[in-house]
Amino acid sequence: MAYADPPYVGCANLYPEKREVDHAELITRLVDEFPDGWALSCHTPSLRELLPMCPDDVRVAAWVKPFAVFKPNVNPAYAWEPVIWRGGRRKRERTEGTVRDWVSANVTLRRGLVGAKPDGFCRWLFDLLGVQPGDEFIDLFPGTGVVSQMFDRLDQRLAL
Ligand SMILES: C[S@@+](CC[C@H](N)C(=O)[O-])C[C@H]1O[C@@H](n2cnc3c(N)ncnc32)[C@H](O)[C@@H]1O
């Protein structure tokens, strides 16, 4: 399975590459190369553009941010982010808790990268996709590397 956290549409200038990611190409790659499941982070203004590029069976989950950066003159604030996801491990034991299609987690500060995801977001992402230790989980836009680090931690914890 894979997670894609590219620069959001129109936000390439926030990163050293300064190059927009072709989201149509990215979504085609996710569909073709990761039939078991994938998730794509984006921002609400791009949902209208991105959803028509996705297969009909995607769902939209939400990362809501009780603490977010409030910008002057942006009111109401943009305080949640969509996660478009497809597939994942469907079969869950009856004893397992029901995973919500949203998570509430504060934004991270001082990680040195715009858009770095908090630990709680990563844990929820794994639950959403039903990722288990031993699965191959590819983080296509690693940034700080937190998603892979959290996945390694999940692997180690369950190995214990
Ligand atoms: C939203 S950040 C990823 C944050 C990461 N998930 C984390 O939690 O730390 C997007 C990453 O993609 C990189 N990036 C920007 N433009 C890119 C491009 N055109 N191709 C590949 N990577 C790009 C950025 O440098 C940045 O590391």
Side-chain angles (χ1 to χ4, degrees):
M1 293 189 243
Y3 173 54
D5 189 14
Y8 296 168
V9 174
C11 299
N13 62 326
L14 298 174
Y15 300 98
E17 292 85 351
K18 308 273 180 220
R19 187 165 34 87
E20 283 289 324
V21 164
D22 182 332
H23 276 74
E25 205 173 273
L26 173 61
I27 290 167
T28 301
R29 180 175 173 206
L30 290 167
V31 171
D32 290 348
E33 293 183 24
F34 302 97
D36 288 339
W38 52 264
L40 168 67
S41 277
C42 60
H43 62 0
T44 51
S46 57
L47 267 183
R48 181 186 291 273
E49 179 180 336
L50 297 183
L51 280 176
M53 297 175 186
C54 295
D56 290 345
D57 57 355
V58 297
R59 287 183 59 183
V60 180
W63 168 28
V64 302
K65 310 182 231 183
F67 170 73
V69 177
F70 295 150
K71 296 183 180 143
N73 304 321
V74 181
N75 192 1
Y78 290 87
W80 74 279
E81 290 188 7
V83 176
I84 300 173
W85 100 95
R86 183 177 195 229
R89 191 171 268 103
R90 295 287 163 113
K91 199 160 164 45
R92 293 186 159 102
E93 300 299 326
R94 287 187 71 126
T95 49
E96 285 179 68
T98 301
V99 180
R100 287 168 178 72
D101 61 357
W102 57 270
V103 67
S104 172
N106 289 331
V107 295
T108 55
L109 295 175
R110 295 188 218 98
R111 284 222 170 134
L113 183 79
V114 178
K117 299 297 179 281
D119 295 358
F121 172 93
C122 301
R123 284 191 291 267
W124 165 76
L125 179 70
F126 304 145
D127 282 345
L128 193 68
L129 287 169
V131 179
Q132 289 182 0
D135 286 346
E136 193 180 5
F137 186 77
I138 298 178
D139 181 11
L140 293 172
F141 296 86
T144 59
V146 67
V147 178
S148 294
Q149 283 161 22
M150 292 298 290
F151 181 65
D152 290 346
R153 235 187 261 180
L154 173 87
D155 238 359
Q156 285 159 8
R157 191 161 39 100
L158 289 162
L160 286 175

